[in-house]
Amino acid sequence: MPSMNELVRQHTALDDSDLEWLHLLVSEWQLLSDLSFADLVLWVPTRDGTRYVSVAQMRPNTGPTSYQDDMVGHLVPRGRRPLLDAALDEGRIVREGDPEWREEVPVRVESIPVRRDGRVLGVIARNTNLLTVRTPSRLELTYLQSASDLAQMIAAGSFPFPDQQVDMDASPRVGDGLIRLDADGVVQYASPNALSAYHRLGLASDLVGQDLGQTTAELAPSRGPVDEALAKVASGWAPREFEIEANDGVIQLRAIPLKPKGTRIGSLVLLRDVTELRRRERELITKDATIREIHHRVKNNLQTVAALLRLQARRIESERGRAALEEAVRRVGSIAIVHETLSQNLDERVEFDEIADRVLAMVAEISPGKVTGRRTGRFGILDAEVATPLSMVLTEVLQNALEHGFREGDTGTVEVSAVRGGTSKDARLLVTVQDDGVGLPPGFDARTAGNLGLQIVRTLVEGELGGSFDMVPAPERGCQVLLDIPVRAQK
């Protein structure tokens, strides 16, 4: 299905500012669809004025649809739908005519001009399925009256509100709760869901007949001058979203002033009980903070262990014993680096490039000669369960390259290369560690080598990471370590 941008730019003469207005309208028109119990289709005249192209469509959440098929992208010649022509040419809402029959379903069709800066950009066809029409309830009458007011505002160019960007996924919807206010901010109607939400805040009476702003401010904890602002916002004087928390309940509200003829006649207030949602968010924040604190403490403990091992190494006279403890210090240090990074993140994922650079710098300190290290490519973001063993693997491989590939006084380079590849279902991380040292001894086999560091590498790569590991001679000189590790695809 083509996008609205593509359709508008391909078929119409509207400019980017007009297109932005249409996007703003479409981001809001679920409200009109739900209040009308009707499907909405946005038609825009083509560049030559001989046809209309449908650029957007919305189905109601509150009633049956009138269109089983998608209408976006359809082209109809001018004259085939007289209501569209009348709304476009005359700039008024057109409701004349008998219902249309579509697949044995009667449909009432209305046309609403979409105005911006005095120009009619297109027409909304509002299509109501009449098959289930019955005597409307008070709630339905309030919905329909509110829809009529919004339609007049669209036709006048005063809705949507250009200075208010609304996240419709997070904002209250019609079915969540609706309150209709008069021009003085007094409640004319409150849906059952809206009344239940205010009862959650501690209201003991009905809402109808009460000043919503004053009632809301009285329910909220006293905040001095803020109460006056809260009362004004809740009275619907301006298009705003806000939350009120009281009596262990949290209610999200959205105020929409109604000005069908240019003068404010009242307001719509949509509201939703978000108590449980906010409680879960706070639990997640607490959990995240706890996890970060645990990583921070683990890092501190590992650094303490490393310091103790370093002290012990200084007291050992045996060179082999001292070297073994220093290796252990580096292994512990590589794990500590991962936990330090995790302690600063909001999730259990880390940007591994920083860790790789720190491991490379840490291991380079043991270089017997003037060996420089560098990294090419990007490791990217890795899960903690991959980052921790990989940091140890990288430490062991680099340490092995520096200790066995170079002698005292040698100069050279150790390069760590990382490449992300594969598909979203089979993402891979290919790591190459290459040095230009003395190379591998004759008959060397990485699969049978008894070196403790290589045993650790094999165990971590093949056992814990589920990857593969190999050591081969470099193309020109030195040694090449190849790691192939499955990872989760980056988002």
Side-chain angles (χ1 to χ4, degrees):
M1 182 185 296
S3 69
M4 185 163 71
N5 285 356
E6 294 170 342
L7 291 169
V8 168
R9 288 169 177 154
Q10 179 181 354
H11 295 286
T12 79
L14 300 183
D15 58 27
D16 288 343
S17 60
D18 295 332
L19 180 57
E20 184 62 30
W21 181 263
L22 295 185
H23 275 294
L24 187 60
L25 171 66
V26 168
S27 72
E28 291 270 30
W29 71 343
Q30 181 73 64
L31 174 63
L32 177 63
S33 178
D34 289 345
L35 290 172
S36 303
F37 308 98
D39 290 77
L40 305 178
V41 180
L42 177 58
W43 297 93
V44 180
T46 56
R47 189 174 288 105
D48 59 8
T50 62
R51 295 180 296 174
Y52 297 96
V53 58
S54 58
V55 299
Q57 178 179 1
M58 178 58 66
R59 293 184 174 92
N61 293 318
T62 52
T65 183
S66 302
Y67 286 112
Q68 298 300 324
D69 300 325
D70 289 329
M71 296 296 297
V72 175
H74 283 216
L75 289 160
V76 297
R78 184 178 172 88
R80 179 175 295 179
R81 301 194 177 185
L83 296 187
L84 293 182
D85 298 340
L88 182 69
D89 296 339
E90 301 172 23
R92 65 180 179 89
I93 299 174
V94 182
R95 297 190 176 94
E96 297 89 352
D98 297 327
E100 297 181 2
W101 287 84
R102 300 175 187 164
E103 299 180 357
E104 300 184 354
V105 175
V107 176
R108 182 174 62 241
V109 181
E110 305 166 87
S111 294
I112 305 167
V114 177
R115 192 183 303 274
R116 173 180 178 266
D117 293 340
R119 297 182 299 117
V120 177
L121 307 182
V123 179
I124 295 176
R126 180 164 56 176
N127 304 271
T128 307
N129 187 324
L130 301 178
L131 195 61
T132 58
V133 168
R134 52 186 171 78
T135 303
S137 64
R138 177 74 188 282
L139 179 144
E140 291 167 333
L141 288 173
T142 303
Y143 277 20
L144 293 171
Q145 180 58 54
S146 301
S148 177
D149 294 335
L150 283 178
Q152 292 182 58
M153 291 170 65
I154 292 173
S158 58
F159 186 84
F161 305 111
D163 57 346
Q164 186 190 41
Q165 295 288 337
V166 177
D167 182 0
M168 293 307 297
D169 291 332
S171 293
R173 295 178 179 267
V174 170
D176 295 327
L178 178 142
I179 297 174
R180 173 87 185 211
L181 307 179
D182 65 14
D184 297 321
V186 176
V187 178
Q188 293 179 310
Y189 175 79
S191 71
N193 284 346
L195 188 58
S196 296
Y198 265 81
H199 285 167
R200 184 75 176 263
L201 295 179
L203 180 70
S205 61
D206 194 0
L207 272 173
V208 175
Q210 296 199 39
D211 184 306
L212 186 66
Q214 181 179 345
T215 299
T216 303
E218 290 174 353
L219 291 172
S222 178
R223 295 177 293 179
V226 180
D227 291 345
E228 183 178 345
L230 176 62
K232 191 166 185 177
V233 170
S235 296
W237 286 93
R240 295 280 179 83
E241 285 196 21
F242 61 100
E243 285 188 4
I244 173 176
E245 182 171 357
N247 197 37
D248 295 328
V250 184
I251 305 301
Q252 181 184 19
L253 300 98
R254 181 190 177 196
I256 303 171
L258 297 175
K259 302 176 181 180
K261 296 182 180 179
T263 303
R264 180 175 170 275
I265 63 168
S267 303
L268 274 184
V269 177
L270 304 180
L271 64 157
R272 178 172 58 171
D273 186 343
V274 293
T275 304
E276 292 304 313
L277 178 63
R278 295 294 177 261
R279 182 185 62 80
R280 289 196 296 270
E281 288 177 351
R282 288 166 184 163
E283 288 179 352
L284 288 174
I285 292 173
T286 302
K287 180 182 177 182
D288 288 340
T290 302
I291 291 174
R292 290 200 299 273
E293 178 62 21
I294 290 173
H295 284 303
H296 181 72
R297 294 189 182 188
V298 170
K299 182 263 297 185
N300 288 344
N301 290 340
L302 289 172
Q303 288 180 337
T304 300
V305 171
L308 293 173
L309 290 173
R310 197 176 291 110
L311 287 173
Q312 189 66 39
R314 293 173 184 168
R315 294 176 178 270
I316 294 179
E317 296 181 1
S318 168
E319 288 293 332
R320 292 185 61 186
R322 187 181 303 113
L325 286 178
E326 289 174 350
E327 285 185 5
V329 168
R330 285 187 287 274
R331 288 165 185 153
V332 172
S334 67
I335 301 174
I337 290 173
V338 176
H339 283 282
E340 181 180 4
T341 305
L342 287 169
S343 71
Q344 300 168 0
N345 291 348
L346 294 176
D347 56 15
E348 290 290 284
R349 309 187 77 192
V350 297
E351 176 61 65
F352 197 82
D353 294 324
E354 178 186 351
I355 294 174
D357 292 340
R358 293 179 63 180
V359 168
L360 190 59
M362 179 181 68
V363 175
E365 295 176 359
I366 68 168
S367 171
K370 296 181 179 179
V371 180
T372 59
R374 66 169 179 260
R375 173 180 60 84
T376 60
R378 290 191 68 249
F379 286 85
I381 297 173
L382 298 177
D383 294 331
E385 57 264 28
V386 174
T388 301
L390 183 57
S391 69
M392 288 193 64
V393 167
L394 197 57
T395 300
E396 296 297 333
V397 171
L398 289 169
Q399 186 169 291
N400 185 75
L402 292 171
E403 287 186 353
H404 301 289
F406 300 93
R407 300 184 181 90
E408 189 73 33
D410 286 351
T411 60
T413 303
V414 177
E415 180 177 313
V416 178
S417 172
V419 178
R420 297 287 286 255
T423 65
S424 58
K425 294 183 178 179
D426 183 28
R428 316 288 299 183
L429 173 62
L430 307 177
V431 181
T432 303
V433 180
Q434 180 171 320
D435 66 71
D436 54 3
V438 298
L440 297 173
F444 177 85
D445 186 351
R447 292 170 294 182
T448 59
N451 179 288
L452 175 61
L454 293 183
Q455 289 180 9
I456 292 174
V457 171
R458 279 200 304 272
T459 300
L460 291 175
V461 172
E462 298 173 0
E464 190 162 343
L465 294 173
S468 62
F469 157 71
D470 199 6
M471 291 182 69
V472 297
E476 296 182 0
R477 178 187 176 189
C479 172
Q480 211 177 49
V481 177
L482 307 173
L483 306 174
D484 183 354
I485 300 167
V487 294
R488 189 165 75 174
Q490 287 182 280
K491 295 181 179 180

